[in-house]
Amino acid sequence: MTSPAEPFDAIILGAGGAGLMCAAIAGQRGRRVLVVDHADEPGRKILISGGGRCNFTNIHTAPDRYLSANPHFAKSALGRYRPEQFIAMVERHGIAWHEKTLGQLFCDGSARQIVTMLLDECAQGDVTIRCGQEVRAIDHADGRFTVSCGGQQASAPALVIATGGPSIPKMGATGFAYDIARRFGMKVVEPRPALVPLTLGEEEALFRSLSGVATEVVAKSGKTAFREAALLTHRGLSGPAILQISSYWRHGESIGLDFLPDQPGGWLREAKRARPRATIRSIMAAMLPDRLAEALAERLDLAGELANLPDRALEAAEQRLGDWRFMPNGTEGFAKAEVTVGGISTAGLSSQTMEARTVPGLYAIGEAVDVTGWLGGYNFQWAWASGHAAGQAL
């Protein structure tokens, strides 16, 4: 005879940021909560984030900084749990933090402080956390979910999918969330790597020789643009500007880089008047890393002094430098992607509670859902906000 399933009010699959936040909120509301994770410790992705210092939120969080098939879905959760509320929790736990560029907040110390804080919050709600336990089966009958893992069974009227997406598989990430969702009849928006380096083909080999060179650019894809650093790599393009634009890029599309975003229109023709004996390479070398200036000048193929170059050619060079087109042949995939675009369709979820519309008691939160933030703390804020929304509803 098998022993009866241990009863809980809610079972949360995944001990990442969203799962722990959800558990802490529900536990402190008096719910009996179980968190299950196949990893040997909670919060593994938190621990490696932000270079080990955890970029835990962004003070500029707004719904328009998230990608989703339904751009309005995230408004409710983000509006009800703001960055300042998470900052207040961080400060309550005595964690020192600082702001870097563009509203990004980091721990002064270690990302482990954020994990410890979330575990302390869970402890206040008497949450049970079981790590290193593979989920063997999930059954649903008579309004209860039964989860089999680690030779034990647990049951609850609520099940929360918080197992993330397939980005960074070396951390144990999988598409498990999508399997569960599909099993219960929920749709999944095609997942693809996001915040990921882009790869270039052989025709861009000249830039491959510049591996390690970085410069500030404006990266463009369609109507979207980001101004941050770009890094040339042996495989293609990386750096914050590229990671940001990768979430919007699609196969078969080009991206544009403005290598000199501070230069006004006509700057090269003005340089010709001011320094007629200078060359394009020498002018650019004053504004860009030397190796990059040399490579771009070589591609522009305008040798000699500026005085000897027609304004028409200089205008064309300006335009190209302001929107240098690359045709990526792919990305470095989920192995190097920080997050996933796509996931469990928001069409099947309540934006208020994160509960499935057709399966009462089933919830999905965090990266498992088709809501993806920009680089810089936005995805953690979605984890906290969506976890809070579900935790309040359990």
Side-chain angles (χ1 to χ4, degrees):
M1 282 199 30
T2 56
S3 55
E6 190 178 357
F8 289 89
D9 295 319
I11 300 170
I12 298 172
L13 305 180
L20 292 176
M21 184 69 165
C22 180
I25 297 294
Q28 290 178 26
R29 292 179 59 244
R31 304 297 183 263
R32 190 172 182 215
V33 180
L34 169 66
V35 180
V36 178
D37 200 302
H38 67 160
D40 54 7
E41 64 175 326
R44 289 188 70 193
K45 242 179 163 180
I46 297 173
L47 294 174
I48 66 163
S49 66
R53 290 195 170 180
C54 188
N55 180 190
F56 58 81
T57 192
N58 194 298
I59 58 175
H60 301 311
T61 294
D64 65 0
R65 302 188 171 202
Y66 292 82
L67 290 80
S68 174
N70 176 1
H72 301 291
F73 180 82
K75 289 180 178 177
S76 176
L78 291 172
R80 286 179 294 126
Y81 193 80
R82 305 284 305 141
E84 50 267 30
Q85 290 167 269
F86 192 79
I87 294 167
M89 186 195 299
V90 167
E91 293 182 336
R92 197 167 68 244
H93 284 260
I95 300 171
W97 57 273
H98 60 279
E99 180 183 347
K100 288 181 82 171
T101 57
L102 305 171
Q104 303 170 44
L105 304 191
F106 290 78
C107 298
D108 284 1
S110 163
R112 191 167 290 280
Q113 293 173 287
I114 298 295
V115 177
T116 300
M117 175 189 78
L118 292 169
L119 293 177
D120 287 347
E121 290 285 328
C122 284
Q124 288 176 37
D126 292 323
V127 172
T128 301
I129 299 176
R130 294 175 184 162
C131 287
Q133 301 209 353
E134 200 89 30
V135 172
R136 303 290 180 195
I138 300 171
D139 296 301
H140 183 226
D142 302 322
R144 291 186 76 83
F145 297 88
T146 301
V147 176
S148 303
C149 58
Q152 300 172 293
Q153 284 193 329
S155 76
L159 180 70
V160 183
I161 305 170
T163 54
S167 60
I168 322 184
K170 71 179 180 184
M171 300 293 295
T174 69
F176 185 53
Y178 313 146
D179 298 337
I180 302 171
R182 288 189 183 103
R183 185 190 148 188
F184 286 102
M186 300 169 72
K187 289 186 167 58
V188 174
V189 176
E190 178 199 359
R192 55 191 174 87
L195 302 183
V196 63
L198 299 173
T199 57
L200 298 173
E202 289 301 321
E203 65 279 7
E204 306 285 2
L206 171 64
F207 291 97
R208 205 164 294 162
S209 67
L210 300 177
S211 180
V213 172
T215 189
E216 186 168 313
V217 302
V218 172
K220 294 171 269 191
S221 178
K223 295 180 179 178
T224 306
F226 293 95
R227 178 169 178 162
E228 284 193 71
L231 172 69
L232 297 156
T233 74
H234 67 286
R235 297 191 65 186
L237 299 167
S238 189
I242 302 302
L243 298 185
Q244 292 279 39
I245 212 67
S246 73
S247 298
Y248 293 83
W249 174 80
R250 291 288 199 150
H251 275 279
E253 296 175 351
S254 66
I255 65 161
L257 296 189
D258 181 350
F259 281 110
L260 296 166
D262 290 324
Q263 295 308 311
W267 68 270
L268 200 44
R269 285 160 287 170
E270 185 58 39
K272 174 181 173 178
R273 319 265 183 273
R275 297 176 56 197
R277 302 196 65 179
T279 63
I280 282 186
R281 182 189 166 184
S282 66
I283 291 289
M284 290 198 299
M287 299 181 279
L288 292 169
D290 195 58
R291 287 166 59 203
L292 178 59
E294 182 179 0
L296 293 175
E298 185 181 325
R299 283 287 181 99
L300 290 170
D301 197 24
L302 292 174
E305 298 176 352
L306 294 179
N308 298 324
L309 297 172
D311 281 3
R312 190 173 61 254
L314 295 179
E315 184 179 0
E318 280 179 25
Q319 290 176 350
R320 191 170 181 200
L321 288 166
D323 189 21
W324 199 287
R325 286 283 138 182
F326 291 89
M327 183 64 79
N329 60 7
T331 74
E332 292 196 23
F334 285 116
K336 294 293 177 69
E338 295 197 16
V339 291
T340 306
V341 164
I344 298 171
S345 174
T346 59
L349 298 173
S350 160
S351 63
Q352 296 284 320
T353 64
M354 312 303 293
E355 185 177 17
R357 296 188 185 281
T358 56
V359 187
L362 182 65
Y363 298 75
I365 58 176
E367 192 188 340
V369 178
D370 175 32
V371 175
T372 306
W374 288 2
L375 183 73
Y378 293 98
N379 288 294
F380 273 128
Q381 187 57 35
W382 170 246
W384 317 138
S386 60
H388 177 268
Q392 290 279 12
L394 289 173

